[in-house]
Amino acid sequence: MGGVVIAEPEMRTHPRTSRGDGASEWLCAWCLNRVASEKDRFAYEGESEFAFKNPNGVLFCIITFAQTIGCREAGVPTLEYSWFAGHAWSYCECSQCRAHLGWFYTGPIDFVGLIRDRIVRASLALN
């Protein structure tokens, strides 16, 4: 007989991106996309904040992180003019607005250096 069949609802789980504690989140200064978490701050040779000049004499103050959340890599890694010996760098862009936020470093240890004045604490930006 051709009775009505009632299908069971399909259950799926969807990962949720935690907004986290505003005091521990770093955002892109341009679009406020979440790009890093304070818990992922990384100490390279005992330090997590550095100041370097590029070959053109432009000063960059960076904070190092073990990983980022809302960033994407751009360019081909190169050892040329690297600030960290043995580490090739490539550009780090905001995954939302594509602003240049810093550099990905690949080498004995992989990490990210974000430019201090291009990121902002969520607790300051969202209040």
Side-chain angles (χ1 to χ4, degrees):
M1 289 201 227
V4 176
V5 177
I6 299 175
E8 289 293 318
E10 186 176 335
M11 300 298 285
R12 293 184 191 175
T13 58
H14 298 281
R16 280 186 15 197
T17 304
S18 170
R19 296 306 292 166
D21 173 16
S24 69
E25 302 301 317
W26 290 92
L27 311 176
C28 170
W30 283 275
C31 71
L32 302 182
N33 182 37
R34 186 170 159 236
V35 295
S37 177
E38 184 66 20
K39 71 178 178 52
D40 294 321
R41 197 181 270 231
F42 170 73
Y44 179 86
E45 294 184 355
E47 300 292 331
S48 65
E49 296 191 32
F50 300 87
F52 298 109
K53 286 186 179 179
N54 72 7
N56 294 326
V58 178
L59 178 67
F60 290 97
C61 296
I62 65 170
I63 301 172
T64 52
F65 294 89
Q67 64 181 359
T68 57
I69 302 159
C71 295
R72 62 181 221 135
E73 188 171 5
V76 177
T78 180
L79 288 168
E80 189 173 12
Y81 302 116
S82 181
W83 292 325
F84 298 96
H87 288 82
W89 61 269
S90 57
Y91 294 104
C92 175
E93 297 178 344
C94 173
S95 61
Q96 186 166 296
C97 72
R98 295 191 174 176
H100 172 223
L101 299 180
W103 300 271
F104 284 99
Y105 291 95
T106 304
I109 302 168
D110 294 347
F111 61 96
V112 184
L114 297 180
I115 303 166
R116 180 62 187 96
D117 63 357
R118 297 185 187 183
I119 58 175
V120 62
R121 292 301 276 269
S123 58
L124 299 175
L126 302 177
N127 285 331

